[in-house]
Amino acid sequence: MDYGKTLNLPETEFPMRAGLPQREPDFLKFWEENDIYGKKQALHAGHKKFVLHDGPPYANGKIHMGHALNKILKDIIMKYKYARGFDTPYVPGWDTHGMPIEHAAIKELGLNRNELDPLTLRRKCHDFALQWVDIQREDFKRLGVLGDWENPYITLHHSFEAEQIRVFGTMANKGYIYKGKKTVYWCPHCETALAEAEIEYGEQKTPTIFVKMPLVKDNGQTPEAAKGKKAYMVIWTTTPWTMPANVAVALNPALEYAWVECEGEVLFMAKDLLAQVGAVCHKDLSNILGTTLGKDMEFAECVHPFPEYNNRRSLVVMADYVTTEAGTGCVHTAPGHGDVDFETGLKYKLPILCPVDSQGKLTEEAGERFKGMFVFDANIPVLKYLAELNCLLGKENIKHQYAHCWRCKNPIIFRATSQWFASIDGFRDEALKSIDDVQWIPSWGQQRIHNMVSDRHDWCISRQRVWGVPIPVFYCDNCGEHLINEATIDSVANWFEKEGSDAWWAHTAEELLPEGTVCPKCGGKHFHKESDIMDVWFDSGSSHMAVAAKRPELSWPVAMYLEGSDQHRGWFQSSLLTSVAVAGRAPYESVLTHGYVVDGDGRKMSKSVGNVIVPQDVIKQYGADIIRLWTASSDYKADIRISPKILKQLAEVYRKIRNTIRYILGNTNDFNYEADAVPFNEMLELDQWALMHLQLLKKEVTAAYESYDFHVLYHAIHNFCTVEMSSFYLDILKDRLYAYKADSKERRSAQTAMHEILMDLIVMLSPVLSFTMEEVWQFMKKPANAPESVQMLPWPEVKEEYINEELETKWDNFIEIRSEITKVLELARRNKQIGHSLDAKVELHAEGEALAILKSVEKDLATLLIVSQAVIVEGAAEGAEATGREDLKVTVAAAEGHKCERCWIYSDEVGQDAEHPTLCKRCAEAVKDCV
């Protein structure tokens, strides 16, 4: 008789090999064709909402690992919250306006924006953006992210643009919007103003110069020894090209300045910097003729060194920002090219010179010598001209962090122009209070955004482009007065509802304005439109109003914003500012921030370095569930590493989890929970231990989900599957599952425990391994009323009555001792003393604590150690193998008796049954039931 066929061997069609790249699309199709998202929403209609408002990615290229991380984190949270009973509508969004899209469209389509009329260029950008929305949408869906993909919010939608206009109008009517000439970040390559959030810093090599400014009014401070000699204030600048715009020299009122004789001239600079300047300029600055405090030189005057400026005066002014960290203590001041310079210029009523055009070229105002030069190209010519004029004391090249445009990656400049601003000063206190009312995850995010908002006075919201939502302001043709009020905003918003923002370019001012509109200042009836568009951050920053507050399935304020750490100065902040300005509070109750994706060595991904990993390639090789597992395994609060090695390790972790589940599926194939389940109090103690540990796991995993510490649940579930289950519990169960009668209480007890473990595991893992758990659910035996998707299952409750500290302590102690015994058995196997562990009989020489622990499980000891016989011997023994414990030694010998052909356990009972002489008593009885 083939006794192998009488064993209860595992049976399941659940594949051992995952084949995720091939199988996952089937589950995407299943979710879509069966409208699982819609059915989930209907099932929880009326429940408390948890709205996570999607930060819109730019629709201008393929998604990268940062996108994948972001969307999967959101999906994990939403699937968990749904299982906890929340109504979790998820509306994905896209940012489709502004320079990122226009820049990409022009580059990819080979357009010349200066040759196209606005509507044509806008049409090209519109089609380009929607093309990428479709591409990105499919990529996001492929990651297993569930949401209302057929009805996303897109910032170019008419209804969105109309609401954005209303947000702008509300802020304008509250007095928060104004136009003024200010020094702003300006990208000469993109030809537009930039907000602070659009700036990133990179290293730049710059010529720095020490310039002698002839002193013509000294406030009577020149020392006696210096009189009759030419005197110069020595200024220092890292931007020689801004010299044509110099109108002042700033000193610190509290610093001590020295008058120094050098080569027949008198130089004026901070005393504490003399040695440093002398070293750089190769000058002897040791002959100090006298000193003066900075404050005593206020309103003194220098003359600009360029003679063609007709002795234009540079006023000496006071500024606390002047330090002795670098330079000369005498700061070159050009209000048209610096933010602090501009503030100083306003304070002292200085002329705001900005001899640079929108393309970054010096204008006629800079003089014929420099006219037409690109600003950075003018550095050397300025330096040489100063040397010709004997006004260059010295120079050096330095490398320093310099502001660059976030889009084109080129260096930017400061440029004084007329722009539209939102005055943060008008509602900063409310904004700061609102920050304190939000939960920031991690907590350091609160201080970060608080500092940014507290230091911010204005938000430059105008851009000199055409692809975007226009600033809805009209100008009187007669007197130039600008016009914006509730009536004009309503009219423009209504036009946009019908035609979108194209209406601004397609219609005249008179058509867009309410009938009979006149200028409130002069009564004029003819108007023209503002040509600037809004900063793209105003677009996405209005989305909470245009989407969350408008769509009936959503709610405002939302439960959560979740984006990368760069969004404290970006979307988190722009949303906060518009929300506080319009509604008096933050638009979100919590904000979760994640780091950047970097390579395995912590380096930024770069095509030139060759370390770029893209989600599409990972999906082809491993499947989306491995990206999802990577997301959950990472502590996203810091930068997140990814590499081929990391992915390979994760694939191995996934394999172990899958094998644990497959083992349980195979061994519960003949189990019907409703008919066969054994009550907890009647289960074998080992099975009770397993279910108790399941409850402890549920507690840990639930806490990790609640605190958004997904890497904690990843490690907890991984350890549970590989250590507590596969290496201990499930390994011990094999004999009971395979060899006992199929319907024996012992076997049904184990199956009951495994069934409960599997049911809870798939729900806990479903937010992370969404594809695999859906696959498991399709293979499981389910009750008739089971939902069609694993994603509809409720979160498993912790059964506190299963938790028994005494039982936990007992088995934890035994597991520790078992690991010591297993090491000795493994050594015996390596020494070929035994083959399989069932070939062994172990004598356990124990005393003290070890003896007590072993005695507590004595009757099941051989089964628990997976040996044929186990004997406890009280006291130590000579010649026994030592363990890591002083109170335990082990002797391994060949098992006694004969080997049962069916279960492989050696026993004296083998041969006692005449009908089945090669079987032990237990197996003989089990076989008789099978025949």
Side-chain angles (χ1 to χ4, degrees), residues 295-573:
K295 65 183 179 66
D296 295 328
M297 291 296 285
E298 187 173 22
F299 301 116
E301 292 177 2
C302 294
V303 69
H304 197 288
F306 295 170
E308 58 266 43
Y309 294 171
N310 299 319
N311 293 316
R312 189 175 78 210
R313 298 302 172 96
S314 287
L315 188 69
V316 178
V317 298
M318 299 294 111
D320 291 336
Y321 55 77
V322 178
T323 70
T324 55
E325 287 180 13
T328 64
C330 305
V331 175
H332 156 60
T333 300
H337 294 299
D339 51 354
V340 291
D341 296 36
F342 185 84
E343 296 300 323
T344 301
L346 290 182
K347 179 181 175 182
Y348 283 91
K349 296 183 173 56
L350 300 172
I352 311 296
L353 300 184
C354 183
V356 175
D357 66 16
S358 63
Q359 295 181 325
K361 293 178 180 177
L362 289 160
T363 64
E364 195 172 350
E365 195 177 10
E368 282 298 319
R369 180 183 291 266
F370 304 114
K371 179 184 173 184
M373 286 185 185
F374 185 64
V375 286
F376 299 120
D377 295 338
N379 280 331
I380 300 304
V382 166
L383 185 154
K384 287 182 176 179
Y385 188 38
L386 287 166
E388 280 178 34
L389 297 169
N390 189 34
C391 288
L392 184 68
L393 184 69
K395 63 181 175 66
E396 68 172 335
N397 290 322
I398 63 166
K399 287 182 179 179
H400 64 144
Q401 291 296 303
Y402 189 81
H404 287 65
C405 172
W406 71 317
R407 183 49 45 194
C408 71
K409 308 302 180 186
N410 286 302
I412 58 94
I413 61 175
F414 277 103
R415 182 168 176 256
T417 60
S418 289
Q419 300 290 338
W420 285 96
F421 297 90
S423 172
I424 311 304
D425 289 335
F427 52 89
R428 187 194 295 104
D429 289 346
E430 284 179 87
L432 294 175
K433 182 183 179 301
S434 295
I435 289 169
D436 294 339
D437 296 334
V438 173
Q439 180 190 6
W440 298 90
I441 309 160
S443 58
W444 52 255
Q446 178 174 357
Q447 194 60 48
R448 187 175 188 197
I449 194 168
H450 186 282
N451 292 342
M452 288 177 172
V453 173
S454 64
D455 290 341
R456 195 170 186 179
H457 300 283
D458 299 285
W459 170 10
C460 179
I461 55 173
S462 50
R463 297 291 179 274
Q464 291 65 48
R465 312 296 285 193
V466 296
W467 178 234
V469 177
I471 289 177
V473 173
F474 300 87
Y475 297 93
C476 175
D477 287 347
N478 187 47
C479 70
E481 182 73 6
H482 68 259
L483 174 67
I484 179 172
N485 55 42
E486 286 185 27
T488 66
I489 287 294
D490 284 345
S491 182
V492 172
N494 290 337
W495 273 100
F496 285 15
E497 289 274 9
K498 291 181 288 184
E499 298 184 13
S501 57
D502 274 357
W504 191 258
W505 286 268
H507 297 280
T508 65
E510 283 71 23
E511 288 173 317
L512 295 171
L513 285 165
E515 193 174 345
T517 299
V518 296
C519 174
K521 184 177 180 182
C522 73
K525 296 180 181 179
H526 298 290
F527 299 86
H528 60 276
K529 297 165 291 184
E530 172 61 65
S531 60
D532 289 352
I533 63 167
M534 290 188 219
D535 173 15
V536 71
W537 291 108
F538 202 99
D539 290 31
S540 56
S542 304
S543 63
H544 60 91
M545 284 294 181
V547 182
K550 290 294 179 184
R551 290 182 63 148
E553 74 271 33
L554 303 178
S555 60
W556 189 100
V558 302
M560 177 176 280
Y561 272 34
L562 188 164
E563 302 300 330
S565 55
D566 56 336
Q567 296 307 314
H568 289 104
R569 64 174 187 160
W571 190 54
F572 297 157
Q573 191 175 150

Side-chain angles (χ1 to χ4, degrees), residues 633-688:
S633 71
S634 309
D635 184 358
Y636 58 79
K637 296 179 180 71
D639 287 345
I640 305 100
R641 298 188 179 204
I642 190 167
S643 68
K645 183 180 177 182
I646 290 170
L647 288 169
K648 190 175 180 182
Q649 290 168 346
L650 285 164
E652 180 60 20
V653 169
Y654 170 86
R655 187 186 65 80
K656 289 177 180 177
I657 293 172
R658 184 181 181 91
N659 284 349
T660 301
I661 289 171
R662 187 173 185 273
Y663 180 96
I664 294 175
L665 281 172
N667 283 290
T668 53
N669 185 56
D670 64 339
F671 178 73
N672 183 318
Y673 188 78
E674 281 73 23
D676 301 330
V678 176
F680 181 79
N681 60 355
E682 296 178 21
M683 294 172 78
L684 271 66
E685 191 172 279
L686 182 62
D687 302 327
Q688 291 180 343

Side-chain angles (χ1 to χ4, degrees), residues 247-322:
V247 293
V249 178
L251 311 182
N252 186 309
L255 283 183
E256 186 179 17
Y257 288 83
W259 303 81
V260 183
E261 184 173 18
C262 177
E263 299 175 2
E265 298 175 336
V266 176
L267 306 179
F268 180 93
M269 67 190 86
K271 184 180 179 183
D272 290 347
L273 289 166
L274 289 174
Q276 191 173 313
V277 175
V280 172
C281 298
H282 309 292
K283 302 289 183 184
D284 179 6
L285 301 179
S286 60
N287 187 13
I288 299 174
L289 304 179
T291 61
T292 301
L293 282 177
K295 65 183 179 66
D296 295 328
M297 291 296 285
E298 187 173 22
F299 301 116
E301 292 177 2
C302 294
V303 69
H304 197 288
F306 295 170
E308 58 266 43
Y309 294 171
N310 299 319
N311 293 316
R312 189 175 78 210
R313 298 302 172 96
S314 287
L315 188 69
V316 178
V317 298
M318 299 294 111
D320 291 336
Y321 55 77
V322 178

Side-chain angles (χ1 to χ4, degrees), residues 58 114 186 199 240 340 508 511 612 668 693 779 825 846 864 866:
Y58 289 112
N114 297 314
W186 186 273
I199 299 301
V340 291
T508 65
E511 288 173 317
V612 176
T668 53
H693 266 262
F779 279 97
L825 282 165
L864 294 171
I866 316 178

